[in-house]
Amino acid sequence: MARLAAFSDAVKTLDESIARAKAAERLGVESVWITQLPYARDAALVLAAYANATQRIAFGTGVLPIYTRHPTAMVQMAASLDELSGGRFILGMGVSHKLTVESMWGMHLEHPVEAMREYLDIVRTSLRDGGCSIDGKHFSAHWTYSGPRRAEMPVMISALSPRMLELAGEQADGVVLWMCSPAYIRDHVVPAVTAGRRKAGKTMEGFEIVAAISVSLTNDRPAALAVFRQTVERYSNLPFYRKALDAGGFKDELAAGTVSDEMLDELGGIGDEERVRDAIRRYREAGVTLPGAGSFGGHQGAAGFEATLEAAVGA
């Protein structure tokens, strides 16, 4: 089967969340990814539960915000989770958003690309060498790590802007995307990460472009579109996502305060099995190396996580 990931944040009960990870493994999905939401369970601990209940499937964070963990703490967590899972962990990190960082956490989000560059340098050097001595304007570390570590653990970052995308190409193993249209990925993401790879003297071989894609297998398409519309409206009010959505071809309708069915169909796959599969295929054709099916419900016509994921597997 073609490569496929699943984005599956923890749901109401941990048992149900674990059952979803086991279903993804049973269906042959390559990896399961979880996002650290500001109001939700600790993503690393949830992944530890997923790892303990499975044997083969890999796990990724898409993504963990860097301002909630010092980079040395991120390395400790990542190396421990990788050891616990038998080398199945993929570390994905992001800067989050100004609203969350400053209003919720009381910190400052300034010069995000420079901050991520320093953070990434500490993490990658520590995983490779077992420690580091690095002084930066945003993050510094002078330490050693004595536990087992996998120097080649994949480390990816969330990126939307051209500069952050270029940094991903230059210093990371991949980029994790959300709320990006196929057109934005083709016309903006791929050229920017390619430029970063060239800057570092690398080709695109082995570099992952992971995209979370909202999909819902449903017999009530209007209801599912209404659920997804609320999600798009919410994220379109965050500046980083708004710039990507504008550049992806939606500037005029967002400026008019509308989110059309056509826009929702471009960003996701909602309806019957063919609509779900078509969304996965469109993202692959745009340059995504690992599409991630993010199943959602929230309405009575939804077929559910496993049925939706099974439909996506057929893409």
Side-chain angles (χ1 to χ4, degrees), residues 136-200:
K137 293 182 179 179
H138 303 274
F139 296 100
S140 298
H142 302 273
W143 81 307
T144 58
Y145 179 67
S146 62
R149 56 186 167 79
R150 181 165 57 111
E152 68 276 13
M153 180 197 303
V155 179
M156 306 184 186
I157 65 171
S158 171
L160 292 169
S161 71
R163 291 183 63 221
M164 192 71 82
L165 287 164
E166 187 170 324
L167 174 62
E170 182 184 352
Q171 291 195 3
D173 297 309
V175 62
V176 184
L177 308 172
W178 161 240
M179 206 55 63
C180 293
S181 68
Y184 185 77
I185 294 170
R186 181 188 63 243
D187 299 336
H188 297 274
V189 172
V190 173
V193 296
T194 300
R197 300 293 282 177
R198 287 174 179 163
K199 185 177 180 180

Side-chain angles (χ1 to χ4, degrees), residues 45-125:
L45 291 178
V46 173
L47 285 185
Y50 288 2
N52 190 54
T54 57
Q55 288 76 47
R56 174 198 58 80
I57 198 166
F59 304 96
T61 51
V63 291
L64 296 175
I66 63 174
Y67 289 100
T68 58
R69 285 182 172 92
H70 187 271
T72 59
M74 187 73 81
V75 170
Q76 290 172 312
M77 178 280 300
S80 299
L81 189 50
D82 193 58
E83 180 187 8
L84 184 152
S85 65
R88 291 185 282 156
F89 183 58
I90 304 162
L91 176 60
M93 308 178 296
V95 296
S96 190
H97 299 272
K98 198 174 186 71
L99 178 66
T100 305
V101 174
E102 299 195 352
S103 298
M104 181 178 290
W105 301 331
M107 305 175 79
H108 295 290
L109 178 53
E110 298 175 341
H111 309 295
V113 176
E114 289 76 9
M116 177 58 83
R117 183 181 294 276
E118 292 178 3
Y119 196 103
L120 190 57
D121 189 21
I122 292 171
V123 168
R124 301 221 68 168
T125 302

